[in-house]
Amino acid sequence: MPQNDAQDLSEFDAATTVRRSEGGGFVADLHPGWDVGSGILNGGYLLAVTARAALAGSPHPHPVAVSASYLRATPPGPASLAVTPGPAGRTLAHTGVVLSGPAGPTLSVQVTTAALGDDAPLRSVPMPDVPPVDECMDAAPGAEMGGHPVPAVGLRHRVETRLDPATAGWALGNPSGEPVMRAWLRLADGREPDPLALLLFADVLPPTSWSMGLMGWAPTVQLQVLVRALPAPGWCLAEARANEVAGGWLDEEYRIWDSTGRLVAQSRQLARAPR
C-alpha cells in the first residue's frame, strides 16, 4: 500500500514507496542503490514498487501472482505508475500497472491480490540440503571471491547474499557447467521478509548462466512470480535453475523457502543470455 515519508521506514520500504498523483495514478522515486550495474535497476525491486501501487486500490492485502513484461531497462529517478483496476471479488482482485520513466513505459505488470494465510501445505517441495549461512560464501561488495573483491553493485549492499559453495564454483573461476544457483538471502536493513520482499528475492541471484561460464548481464524480458505463503522471520533460501539455454535465450525457475523450510514463493523468467 502507499506509504508516507517517515524517518522510521526501513530502507526497502522507503525505496519502494509510492504516492498518489494529481492525475489519479501514482508516482515513485526509484532509488539508485538497487541497481545491478551500469545504473540499471533490479527487476525484482521494480516488481515490489508496482505491487505497492496495485495494493493501494485492492481490497486484499497481499500480491499472490505477478506477471511482468520488461519493455526496456529502467533507470533511477522519478517514475509514474498508471493503475488499471480489474475484476475484484471476495477472495481475489486483479490490477494492471504500467511503470513509466522520463523516456516512456518501461514495465507492464498484471497483479493478482488476495489474503495469504499460514495453512499447512498439502504437498510441497522440500528445501534442498544447503550449508548453514555462516558456512556459505559472502557476496557482499568488497568480500573476496577467487582472489578478487566482489564488485560494488548496489543490489549487493541492499540484500545480504550467502552463496551455497556447491553452486558457486563460477566465483572461484571454476564454473560447474550446471546452470543452478542457491543462496541464503535477507534484507541488509534488518527488515523481516514479507510478500513484497519475496518479489525482490525472486530476481536477486546472479544469472544461472554464470555457472556455465557465460558471464555478463542477462536482462529479464518476462517474469512471473507466485507468492505461496507469508514467510517466517529470518533468512530465506533461494534456488534458481535454468532448463534451457539456447538461441540467445535463458529461462530460470526460482524456488524460495523461509527459515522454517516452507516453500513461500516460486518464479519463472525469460531472459537474454549473456553474449
Side-chain angles (χ1 to χ4, degrees):
M1 63 181 61
Q3 299 205 0
N4 296 322
D5 291 333
Q7 293 182 352
D8 59 353
L9 286 181
S10 73
E11 188 173 32
F12 176 71
D13 289 328
T16 56
T17 293
V18 298
R19 305 179 304 280
R20 290 192 182 275
S21 64
E22 294 182 358
F26 294 87
V27 294
D29 296 317
L30 302 178
H31 289 215
W34 299 81
D35 72 289
V36 294
S38 301
I40 297 169
L41 293 174
N42 169 257
Y45 162 68
L46 296 172
L47 276 196
V49 175
T50 57
R52 282 205 189 277
L55 289 170
S58 173
H60 306 295
H62 306 126
V64 297
V66 181
S67 179
S69 294
Y70 293 82
L71 310 178
R72 58 172 63 88
T74 303
S80 62
L81 298 103
V83 177
T84 304
R90 187 174 60 86
T91 60
L92 295 173
H94 304 277
T95 305
V97 182
V98 176
L99 185 149
S100 299
T106 64
L107 179 61
S108 178
V109 185
Q110 293 293 320
V111 182
T112 300
T113 53
L116 291 166
D118 56 3
D119 297 339
L122 298 177
R123 183 180 185 278
S124 185
V125 178
M127 178 186 284
D129 185 15
V130 174
V133 172
D134 58 3
E135 295 180 17
C136 289
M137 298 171 61
D138 188 356
E144 288 288 328
M145 281 192 181
H148 302 283
V150 176
V153 174
L155 186 65
R156 297 292 160 232
H157 286 285
R158 307 297 182 267
V159 180
E160 290 191 59
T161 306
R162 302 290 186 271
L163 298 167
D164 177 4
T167 65
W170 57 270
L172 305 176
N174 185 29
S176 67
E178 183 180 4
V180 179
M181 198 83 63
R182 285 188 292 269
W184 294 102
L185 304 168
R186 71 177 179 184
L187 287 166
D189 61 18
R191 182 190 186 280
E192 296 293 358
D194 71 350
L196 291 173
L198 293 177
L199 297 181
L200 169 68
F201 292 168
D203 186 41
V204 82
L205 296 180
T208 52
S209 56
W210 290 13
S211 291
M212 301 176 64
L214 299 175
M215 310 300 288
W217 183 38
T220 302
V221 176
Q222 218 280 339
L223 174 61
Q224 299 172 324
V225 184
L226 305 179
V227 180
R228 309 304 301 269
L230 296 174
W235 290 86
C236 291
L237 177 70
E239 178 185 79
R241 184 181 298 270
N243 297 306
E244 186 81 8
V245 183
W249 295 95
L250 165 73
D251 71 80
E252 288 187 342
E253 293 184 351
Y254 269 67
R255 288 191 172 99
I256 302 173
W257 295 265
D258 69 8
S259 60
T260 71
R262 180 173 184 167
L263 183 73
V264 290
Q266 298 164 265
S267 74
R268 182 175 178 84
Q269 75 167 272
L270 179 69
R272 297 296 300 182
R275 296 178 180 177

